[in-house]
Amino acid sequence: MSVTTAHNAKRMYRFDLTKRLVAKLHRDEAVIGGIGHSNFDLFTAGHRPQNFYMLGSMGLAIPIALGVAIAQPQRKVFALEGDGSLLMQLGCLSTVATQAPKNLIILVMDNGTYQITGGQVTPAAGGTDFVAVARGCGLTSAAWAADEADFERLVEQGLATDGPHLIGLKLDEQGPAGQTERDPAQIRDRFMRGMGVKKSKLVT
Amino acid sequence: MQPWHEIVVEQLKANEIRLIPYVPDNVLKPLINAIHADPFFTAFTTAREEEAIGIVCGAVMAGMRGMALMQTSGFATLANVLASLPCAFQIPALMMISERGTLGEFNIGQAAVWRTMRPTLEALAMEHHVITRLDECGFIVDRTIRQALSTQQPAALILSPLLTGGKANPVKVGG
Ligand SMILES: Cc1ncc(C[n+]2csc(CCOP(=O)(O)OP(=O)(O)O)c2C)c(N)n1
Protein backbone atom coordinates (compact mmCIF):
# COMPACT_ATOMS: atom_id res chain seq x y z
CA MET A 1 0.00 0.00 0.00
CA SER A 2 1.20 3.49 -0.82
CA VAL A 3 2.46 5.61 2.09
CA THR A 4 2.15 8.80 0.08
CA THR A 5 0.05 11.40 1.89
CA ALA A 6 -1.73 14.51 0.72
CA HIS A 7 1.21 16.51 2.05
CA ASN A 8 4.15 14.75 0.44
CA ALA A 9 2.59 13.92 -2.94
CA LYS A 10 4.38 15.74 -5.75
CA ARG A 11 2.42 18.49 -7.48
CA MET A 12 2.19 17.42 -11.11
CA TYR A 13 1.04 18.82 -14.48
CA ARG A 14 -2.49 17.68 -15.41
CA PHE A 15 -1.85 17.55 -19.15
CA ASP A 16 1.28 15.44 -18.68
CA LEU A 17 -0.62 13.02 -16.41
CA THR A 18 -3.52 12.86 -18.86
CA LYS A 19 -1.16 11.96 -21.71
CA ARG A 20 0.48 9.29 -19.55
CA LEU A 21 -2.96 7.82 -18.80
CA VAL A 22 -4.09 7.79 -22.43
CA ALA A 23 -0.81 6.15 -23.50
CA LYS A 24 -1.67 3.18 -21.27
CA LEU A 25 -5.12 2.59 -22.81
CA HIS A 26 -5.03 -0.26 -25.33
CA ARG A 27 -8.40 -1.95 -24.79
CA ASP A 28 -10.88 0.77 -25.70
CA GLU A 29 -11.23 1.79 -22.07
CA ALA A 30 -13.89 4.47 -21.48
CA VAL A 31 -12.76 7.81 -20.06
CA ILE A 32 -15.22 10.36 -18.68
CA GLY A 33 -13.71 13.85 -18.36
CA GLY A 34 -15.37 16.06 -15.75
CA ILE A 35 -16.34 19.70 -16.20
CA GLY A 36 -13.74 22.14 -17.45
CA HIS A 37 -10.07 21.47 -17.45
CA SER A 38 -10.28 17.72 -16.75
CA ASN A 39 -12.02 17.21 -20.08
CA PHE A 40 -10.08 19.96 -21.90
CA ASP A 41 -6.82 18.11 -21.28
CA LEU A 42 -8.41 14.76 -22.14
CA PHE A 43 -9.56 16.17 -25.48
CA THR A 44 -6.19 17.85 -26.11
CA ALA A 45 -4.35 14.61 -25.37
CA GLY A 46 -6.00 13.28 -28.55
CA HIS A 47 -9.64 12.44 -29.19
CA ARG A 48 -10.67 8.82 -28.82
CA PRO A 49 -14.23 7.63 -29.50
CA GLN A 50 -14.28 6.14 -25.99
CA ASN A 51 -13.88 9.61 -24.43
CA PHE A 52 -16.85 11.51 -23.04
CA TYR A 53 -16.36 15.22 -22.42
CA MET A 54 -18.83 16.48 -19.83
CA LEU A 55 -19.61 20.13 -20.57
CA GLY A 56 -21.97 21.05 -17.71
CA SER A 57 -23.54 19.18 -14.79
CA MET A 58 -20.63 19.91 -12.43
CA GLY A 59 -19.91 16.90 -10.20
CA LEU A 60 -21.35 14.18 -12.42
CA ALA A 61 -18.22 12.68 -14.02
CA ILE A 62 -18.08 9.88 -11.44
CA PRO A 63 -21.83 9.06 -11.59
CA ILE A 64 -21.67 8.99 -15.41
CA ALA A 65 -18.65 6.70 -15.25
CA LEU A 66 -20.46 4.48 -12.73
CA GLY A 67 -23.38 4.16 -15.16
CA VAL A 68 -21.01 3.17 -17.98
CA ALA A 69 -19.23 0.71 -15.68
CA ILE A 70 -22.49 -0.97 -14.66
CA ALA A 71 -23.70 -1.16 -18.26
CA GLN A 72 -20.42 -2.67 -19.55
CA PRO A 73 -18.73 -4.67 -16.78
CA GLN A 74 -16.09 -6.05 -19.18
CA ARG A 75 -14.75 -2.59 -20.04
CA LYS A 76 -12.49 -0.57 -17.73
CA VAL A 77 -13.90 2.90 -17.11
CA PHE A 78 -12.01 5.97 -15.87
CA ALA A 79 -13.54 9.09 -14.34
CA LEU A 80 -11.38 12.25 -14.31
CA GLU A 81 -12.91 14.60 -11.75
CA GLY A 82 -11.71 17.93 -10.34
CA ASP A 83 -11.56 18.47 -6.59
CA GLY A 84 -14.11 21.30 -6.74
CA SER A 85 -16.45 19.09 -8.73
CA LEU A 86 -16.04 16.14 -6.38
CA LEU A 87 -16.90 18.40 -3.42
CA MET A 88 -20.23 19.07 -5.10
CA GLN A 89 -21.12 15.36 -5.20
CA LEU A 90 -19.11 13.68 -2.43
CA GLY A 91 -21.97 11.27 -1.73
CA CYS A 92 -21.23 9.50 -5.01
CA LEU A 93 -18.12 7.95 -3.39
CA SER A 94 -20.39 6.06 -1.00
CA THR A 95 -22.55 4.92 -3.92
CA VAL A 96 -19.47 3.69 -5.77
CA ALA A 97 -18.18 1.88 -2.67
CA THR A 98 -21.54 0.15 -2.17
CA GLN A 99 -22.05 -0.82 -5.83
CA ALA A 100 -18.35 -1.76 -6.00
CA PRO A 101 -17.93 -1.90 -9.79
CA LYS A 102 -14.73 -3.88 -10.41
CA ASN A 103 -14.01 -1.96 -13.60
CA LEU A 104 -14.14 1.65 -12.32
CA ILE A 105 -11.07 3.81 -11.68
CA ILE A 106 -11.52 7.35 -10.35
CA LEU A 107 -8.82 10.01 -10.79
CA VAL A 108 -9.21 13.04 -8.52
CA MET A 109 -7.56 16.08 -10.10
CA ASP A 110 -6.75 18.04 -6.94
CA ASN A 111 -5.35 21.50 -7.66
CA GLY A 112 -6.95 23.00 -4.54
CA THR A 113 -8.86 25.53 -6.64
CA TYR A 114 -11.69 26.17 -9.05
CA GLN A 115 -9.15 26.80 -11.79
CA ILE A 116 -11.55 27.33 -14.68
CA THR A 117 -13.50 30.06 -12.90
CA GLY A 118 -10.41 32.04 -11.93
CA GLY A 119 -8.46 29.95 -9.45
CA GLN A 120 -10.46 30.64 -6.29
CA VAL A 121 -9.56 28.23 -3.47
CA THR A 122 -12.16 25.55 -2.76
CA PRO A 123 -13.84 25.14 0.65
CA ALA A 124 -11.48 22.15 1.12
CA ALA A 125 -8.53 24.55 1.50
CA GLY A 126 -8.46 23.79 5.22
CA GLY A 127 -6.91 20.42 4.47
CA THR A 128 -9.50 17.93 3.21
CA ASP A 129 -7.71 14.76 2.17
CA PHE A 130 -9.75 13.27 -0.68
CA VAL A 131 -8.06 9.89 -0.47
CA ALA A 132 -8.89 9.69 3.24
CA VAL A 133 -12.47 10.76 2.41
CA ALA A 134 -12.70 8.03 -0.21
CA ARG A 135 -11.39 5.44 2.26
CA GLY A 136 -13.90 6.68 4.82
CA CYS A 137 -16.65 6.17 2.25
CA GLY A 138 -15.56 2.54 1.88
CA LEU A 139 -13.24 2.75 -1.13
CA THR A 140 -10.40 0.69 0.28
CA SER A 141 -8.23 0.91 -2.85
CA ALA A 142 -7.55 4.66 -2.70
CA ALA A 143 -4.09 6.20 -2.85
CA TRP A 144 -2.24 9.44 -3.58
CA ALA A 145 0.23 9.21 -6.45
CA ALA A 146 3.67 10.15 -5.13
CA ASP A 147 4.96 11.26 -8.53
CA GLU A 148 4.55 10.55 -12.25
CA ALA A 149 6.13 7.08 -12.08
CA ASP A 150 3.92 6.15 -9.13
CA PHE A 151 0.89 7.41 -11.08
CA GLU A 152 1.76 5.13 -14.00
CA ARG A 153 2.15 2.23 -11.59
CA LEU A 154 -1.25 2.95 -10.02
CA VAL A 155 -2.90 3.16 -13.45
CA GLU A 156 -1.36 -0.19 -14.44
CA GLN A 157 -2.56 -1.68 -11.18
CA GLY A 158 -6.04 -0.26 -11.82
CA LEU A 159 -6.08 -1.82 -15.28
CA ALA A 160 -4.80 -5.18 -14.06
CA THR A 161 -6.80 -5.67 -10.85
CA ASP A 162 -10.39 -5.52 -9.68
CA GLY A 163 -11.58 -2.15 -8.39
CA PRO A 164 -13.12 0.17 -7.68
CA HIS A 165 -9.89 2.16 -7.44
CA LEU A 166 -9.32 5.83 -6.67
CA ILE A 167 -6.10 7.70 -7.45
CA GLY A 168 -5.52 11.12 -5.90
CA LEU A 169 -3.40 13.51 -7.97
CA LYS A 170 -1.96 16.71 -6.53
CA LEU A 171 -1.65 19.22 -9.36
CA ASP A 172 0.48 22.29 -9.96
CA GLU A 173 -0.99 25.60 -11.08
CA GLN A 174 -0.54 25.19 -14.81
CA GLY A 175 -3.64 25.71 -16.92
CA PRO A 176 -5.10 23.39 -19.56
CA ALA A 177 -3.24 22.67 -22.80
CA GLY A 178 -6.27 23.28 -25.03
CA GLN A 179 -10.06 23.39 -25.21
CA THR A 180 -12.73 20.82 -25.99
CA GLU A 181 -14.99 21.36 -29.01
CA ARG A 182 -18.34 22.18 -27.44
CA ASP A 183 -20.79 20.08 -29.45
CA PRO A 184 -22.68 17.88 -26.97
CA ALA A 185 -24.82 15.94 -29.45
CA GLN A 186 -21.71 15.02 -31.49
CA ILE A 187 -19.80 14.06 -28.35
CA ARG A 188 -22.64 11.76 -27.26
CA ASP A 189 -22.94 10.24 -30.73
CA ARG A 190 -19.19 9.48 -30.97
CA PHE A 191 -19.11 8.08 -27.45
CA MET A 192 -22.02 5.72 -28.15
CA ARG A 193 -20.19 4.47 -31.25
CA GLY A 194 -17.03 4.16 -29.15
CA MET A 195 -18.97 2.05 -26.65
CA GLY A 196 -20.18 -0.19 -29.49
CA VAL A 197 -23.77 0.77 -28.73
CA LYS A 198 -24.54 2.77 -31.85
CA LYS A 199 -24.04 1.68 -35.41
CA SER A 200 -24.91 4.18 -38.10
CA LYS A 201 -24.15 4.88 -41.74
CA LEU A 202 -24.23 8.61 -40.98
CA VAL A 203 -20.46 8.79 -40.70
CA THR A 204 -19.02 11.62 -42.75
CA MET B 1 -57.27 -4.68 -12.32
CA GLN B 2 -53.56 -4.71 -11.41
CA PRO B 3 -52.23 -2.05 -9.02
CA TRP B 4 -50.31 0.85 -10.63
CA HIS B 5 -46.87 -0.41 -9.57
CA GLU B 6 -47.39 -3.78 -11.27
CA ILE B 7 -48.37 -2.03 -14.47
CA VAL B 8 -45.23 0.15 -14.27
CA VAL B 9 -42.98 -2.88 -13.67
CA GLU B 10 -44.53 -4.64 -16.66
CA GLN B 11 -43.89 -1.68 -18.95
CA LEU B 12 -40.34 -1.17 -17.71
CA LYS B 13 -39.59 -4.80 -18.47
CA ALA B 14 -41.29 -4.69 -21.87
CA ASN B 15 -39.08 -1.72 -22.77
CA GLU B 16 -35.85 -3.18 -21.30
CA ILE B 17 -35.46 -0.47 -18.65
CA ARG B 18 -33.14 -2.31 -16.28
CA LEU B 19 -31.21 0.25 -14.25
CA ILE B 20 -33.19 1.99 -11.48
CA PRO B 21 -31.21 4.36 -9.24
CA TYR B 22 -33.43 6.25 -6.83
CA VAL B 23 -33.86 8.46 -3.80
CA PRO B 24 -36.83 6.94 -1.98
CA ASP B 25 -40.32 8.26 -1.42
CA ASN B 26 -43.07 6.71 0.63
CA VAL B 27 -45.56 6.58 -2.24
CA LEU B 28 -42.97 4.83 -4.43
CA LYS B 29 -42.46 2.11 -1.84
CA PRO B 30 -44.53 -0.63 -3.52
CA LEU B 31 -42.80 0.06 -6.85
CA ILE B 32 -39.34 0.11 -5.25
CA ASN B 33 -40.09 -3.16 -3.43
CA ALA B 34 -41.35 -4.83 -6.60
CA ILE B 35 -38.26 -3.70 -8.53
CA HIS B 36 -35.88 -4.97 -5.84
CA ALA B 37 -37.74 -8.29 -5.78
CA ASP B 38 -37.25 -8.81 -9.52
CA PRO B 39 -33.75 -9.89 -10.67
CA PHE B 40 -34.41 -8.28 -14.05
CA PHE B 41 -33.59 -4.92 -12.47
CA THR B 42 -30.43 -3.38 -11.04
CA ALA B 43 -31.76 -0.98 -8.40
CA PHE B 44 -30.02 1.01 -5.68
CA THR B 45 -30.22 4.25 -3.73
CA THR B 46 -28.09 7.29 -4.53
CA ALA B 47 -27.18 10.17 -2.23
CA ARG B 48 -28.76 12.76 -4.53
CA GLU B 49 -31.15 12.76 -7.48
CA GLU B 50 -28.44 14.48 -9.58
CA GLU B 51 -26.27 11.44 -9.10
CA ALA B 52 -29.09 9.17 -10.29
CA ILE B 53 -29.42 11.25 -13.47
CA GLY B 54 -25.67 11.00 -14.10
CA ILE B 55 -25.73 7.22 -13.60
CA VAL B 56 -28.70 6.75 -15.94
CA CYS B 57 -27.08 8.96 -18.60
CA GLY B 58 -23.81 7.02 -18.45
CA ALA B 59 -25.59 3.68 -18.61
CA VAL B 60 -27.85 4.70 -21.50
CA MET B 61 -24.84 5.83 -23.53
CA ALA B 62 -23.22 2.46 -22.83
CA GLY B 63 -26.29 0.47 -23.87
CA MET B 64 -28.24 -0.11 -20.65
CA ARG B 65 -31.53 1.73 -20.34
CA GLY B 66 -32.51 3.28 -17.02
CA MET B 67 -35.00 5.34 -15.09
CA ALA B 68 -34.41 7.46 -11.97
CA LEU B 69 -37.12 7.45 -9.29
CA MET B 70 -37.71 10.42 -6.98
CA GLN B 71 -40.32 12.64 -5.39
CA THR B 72 -41.25 16.21 -6.34
CA SER B 73 -38.68 17.78 -4.02
CA GLY B 74 -35.94 15.67 -5.62
CA PHE B 75 -36.93 16.84 -9.07
CA ALA B 76 -36.59 20.42 -7.84
CA THR B 77 -32.84 19.86 -7.34
CA LEU B 78 -32.27 18.92 -10.99
CA ALA B 79 -32.74 21.89 -13.35
CA ASN B 80 -29.01 22.42 -13.96
CA VAL B 81 -28.02 18.84 -14.59
CA LEU B 82 -31.07 18.14 -16.78
CA ALA B 83 -30.37 21.21 -18.91
CA SER B 84 -26.67 20.51 -19.30
CA LEU B 85 -26.59 16.71 -19.52
CA PRO B 86 -29.61 14.82 -20.97
CA CYS B 87 -31.12 17.88 -22.70
CA ALA B 88 -27.88 19.23 -24.20
CA PHE B 89 -26.39 15.84 -25.08
CA GLN B 90 -29.74 14.37 -26.19
CA ILE B 91 -29.71 11.37 -23.90
CA PRO B 92 -33.00 9.52 -23.26
CA ALA B 93 -32.77 9.61 -19.47
CA LEU B 94 -36.11 8.67 -17.93
CA MET B 95 -37.53 9.89 -14.64
CA MET B 96 -40.50 8.81 -12.57
CA ILE B 97 -41.62 11.39 -10.05
CA SER B 98 -44.01 10.73 -7.21
CA GLU B 99 -46.10 13.88 -6.97
CA ARG B 100 -46.09 15.35 -3.50
CA GLY B 101 -47.38 18.78 -2.55
CA THR B 102 -50.89 18.68 -3.96
CA LEU B 103 -54.34 17.13 -3.35
CA GLY B 104 -54.14 16.93 0.40
CA GLU B 105 -50.51 17.79 1.15
CA PHE B 106 -49.85 18.55 4.81
CA ASN B 107 -46.30 19.90 4.48
CA ILE B 108 -46.17 23.50 3.25
CA GLY B 109 -42.60 23.01 1.98
CA GLN B 110 -43.73 20.19 -0.28
CA ALA B 111 -46.64 22.31 -1.50
CA ALA B 112 -44.32 25.21 -2.33
CA VAL B 113 -41.78 23.11 -4.21
CA TRP B 114 -44.59 21.34 -6.12
CA ARG B 115 -45.37 24.66 -7.82
CA THR B 116 -41.89 24.72 -9.39
CA MET B 117 -42.14 21.33 -11.10
CA ARG B 118 -44.29 21.99 -14.17
CA PRO B 119 -42.76 25.42 -14.93
CA THR B 120 -39.30 23.78 -14.77
CA LEU B 121 -40.30 20.90 -17.06
CA GLU B 122 -41.88 23.38 -19.47
CA ALA B 123 -38.90 25.73 -19.40
CA LEU B 124 -36.63 22.77 -20.20
CA ALA B 125 -39.07 21.80 -22.99
CA MET B 126 -38.96 18.30 -21.57
CA GLU B 127 -41.64 15.76 -22.49
CA HIS B 128 -43.68 14.94 -19.39
CA HIS B 129 -46.95 13.21 -18.63
CA VAL B 130 -49.02 13.00 -15.49
CA ILE B 131 -50.56 9.61 -14.80
CA THR B 132 -53.88 9.97 -13.01
CA ARG B 133 -55.83 6.83 -14.00
CA LEU B 134 -55.14 3.15 -13.69
CA ASP B 135 -56.62 2.39 -17.13
CA GLU B 136 -54.23 4.88 -18.79
CA CYS B 137 -51.14 4.00 -16.79
CA GLY B 138 -49.68 1.29 -19.02
CA PHE B 139 -50.26 3.23 -22.23
CA ILE B 140 -48.68 6.44 -20.93
CA VAL B 141 -45.63 4.68 -19.46
CA ASP B 142 -45.04 2.60 -22.57
CA ARG B 143 -45.49 5.39 -25.10
CA THR B 144 -43.47 7.95 -23.14
CA ILE B 145 -40.54 5.55 -22.86
CA ARG B 146 -40.68 4.62 -26.53
CA GLN B 147 -40.82 8.23 -27.66
CA ALA B 148 -37.90 9.19 -25.42
CA LEU B 149 -35.79 6.34 -26.79
CA SER B 150 -36.60 6.92 -30.43
CA THR B 151 -36.16 10.70 -30.29
CA GLN B 152 -33.09 10.65 -27.99
CA GLN B 153 -34.74 12.97 -25.49
CA PRO B 154 -35.21 12.78 -21.72
CA ALA B 155 -38.74 12.43 -20.35
CA ALA B 156 -40.54 12.57 -17.02
CA LEU B 157 -43.50 10.53 -15.80
CA ILE B 158 -45.41 12.05 -12.90
CA LEU B 159 -47.41 9.78 -10.61
CA SER B 160 -50.44 11.77 -9.44
CA PRO B 161 -52.09 11.13 -6.07
CA LEU B 162 -55.18 10.39 -8.18
CA LEU B 163 -53.34 7.24 -9.28
CA THR B 164 -51.37 6.31 -6.18
CA GLY B 165 -53.57 7.66 -3.40
CA GLY B 166 -50.70 9.96 -2.45
CA LYS B 167 -49.83 10.51 1.16
CA ALA B 168 -52.70 11.74 3.32
CA ASN B 169 -52.35 13.87 6.43
CA PRO B 170 -51.61 11.47 9.29
CA VAL B 171 -53.29 13.83 11.75
CA LYS B 172 -56.81 15.30 11.48
CA VAL B 173 -56.80 19.10 11.13
CA GLY B 174 -57.21 20.56 14.58
CA GLY B 175 -57.02 17.11 16.11
C1 LIG C 1 -23.70 23.72 -10.35
C2 LIG C 1 -22.61 24.57 -10.88
N1 LIG C 1 -22.05 25.53 -10.09
C3 LIG C 1 -21.04 26.29 -10.58
C4 LIG C 1 -20.58 26.11 -11.84
C5 LIG C 1 -19.44 26.97 -12.36
N2 LIG C 1 -18.22 26.21 -12.49
C6 LIG C 1 -17.89 25.60 -13.62
S1 LIG C 1 -16.46 24.78 -13.54
C7 LIG C 1 -16.25 25.25 -11.94
C8 LIG C 1 -15.01 24.85 -11.19
C9 LIG C 1 -14.61 23.42 -11.35
O1 LIG C 1 -13.60 23.14 -10.42
P1 LIG C 1 -12.79 21.80 -10.42
O2 LIG C 1 -13.69 20.66 -10.60
O3 LIG C 1 -11.90 21.80 -9.23
O4 LIG C 1 -11.91 21.87 -11.75
P2 LIG C 1 -10.77 22.93 -12.19
O5 LIG C 1 -11.47 24.13 -12.72
O6 LIG C 1 -9.93 23.25 -11.01
O7 LIG C 1 -10.05 22.20 -13.26
C10 LIG C 1 -17.30 26.02 -11.49
C11 LIG C 1 -17.40 26.59 -10.12
C12 LIG C 1 -21.20 25.10 -12.62
N3 LIG C 1 -20.83 24.84 -13.88
N4 LIG C 1 -22.19 24.36 -12.12
Side-chain angles (χ1 to χ4, degrees), chain A residues 14 35 37 58 82-85 111 113-117, chain B residues 80:
Chain A
R14 180 180 44 231
I35 197 167
H37 294 164
M58 182 170 168
D83 52 339
S85 297
N111 55 11
T113 64
Y114 298 111
Q115 194 179 56
I116 198 169
T117 52
Chain B
N80 175 59

Side-chain angles (χ1 to χ4, degrees), chain A:
Chain A
M1 193 159 109
S2 169
V3 291
T4 307
T5 69
H7 303 290
N8 66 14
K10 180 181 171 192
R11 293 191 166 270
M12 296 173 278
Y13 178 35
R14 180 180 44 231
F15 184 52
D16 174 58
L17 295 175
T18 309
K19 282 189 294 186
R20 286 172 192 263
L21 167 70
V22 172
K24 297 219 172 283
L25 306 181
H26 304 298
R27 295 170 168 253
D28 294 342
E29 293 87 351
V31 187
I32 313 300
I35 197 167
H37 294 164
S38 302
N39 82 62
F40 284 14
D41 277 350
L42 177 64
F43 182 79
T44 310
H47 174 68
R48 314 160 52 245
Q50 297 82 20
N51 289 355
F52 182 76
Y53 313 103
M54 204 196 76
L55 299 178
S57 61
M58 182 170 168
L60 291 193
I62 296 169
I64 293 169
L66 174 59
V68 175
I70 291 171
Q72 299 202 5
Q74 304 309 322
R75 191 191 299 272
K76 289 280 186 181
V77 183
F78 288 82
L80 316 185
E81 189 64 301
D83 52 339
S85 297
L86 179 56
L87 281 169
M88 204 168 263
Q89 206 68 241
L90 270 181
C92 76
L93 296 178
S94 293
T95 312
V96 169
T98 301
Q99 296 312 310
K102 291 178 179 162
N103 52 334
L104 180 63
I105 302 143
I106 298 168
L107 271 51
V108 180
M109 302 290 192
D110 182 3
N111 55 11
T113 64
Y114 298 111
Q115 194 179 56
I116 198 169
T117 52
Q120 305 84 356
V121 295
T122 72
T128 304
D129 178 330
F130 290 101
V131 166
V133 170
R135 289 216 188 103
C137 288
L139 288 167
T140 48
S141 173
W144 287 106
D147 55 21
E148 288 84 355
D150 193 37
F151 170 61
E152 293 203 8
R153 183 186 65 79
L154 289 167
V155 169
E156 279 162 20
Q157 189 183 310
L159 287 169
T161 63
D162 283 351
H165 302 286
L166 182 141
I167 307 173
L169 298 166
K170 287 287 181 184
L171 303 182
D172 62 25
E173 288 171 3
Q174 293 185 76
Q179 244 185 58
T180 305
E181 284 178 34
R182 287 191 173 86
D183 194 336
Q186 295 297 320
I187 292 170
R188 192 259 307 147
D189 175 85
R190 295 307 182 278
F191 183 68
M192 289 181 77
R193 293 172 198 244
M195 292 298 98
V197 165
K198 181 171 178 181
K199 296 202 170 47
S200 166
K201 289 183 180 136
L202 296 169
V203 181
T204 48

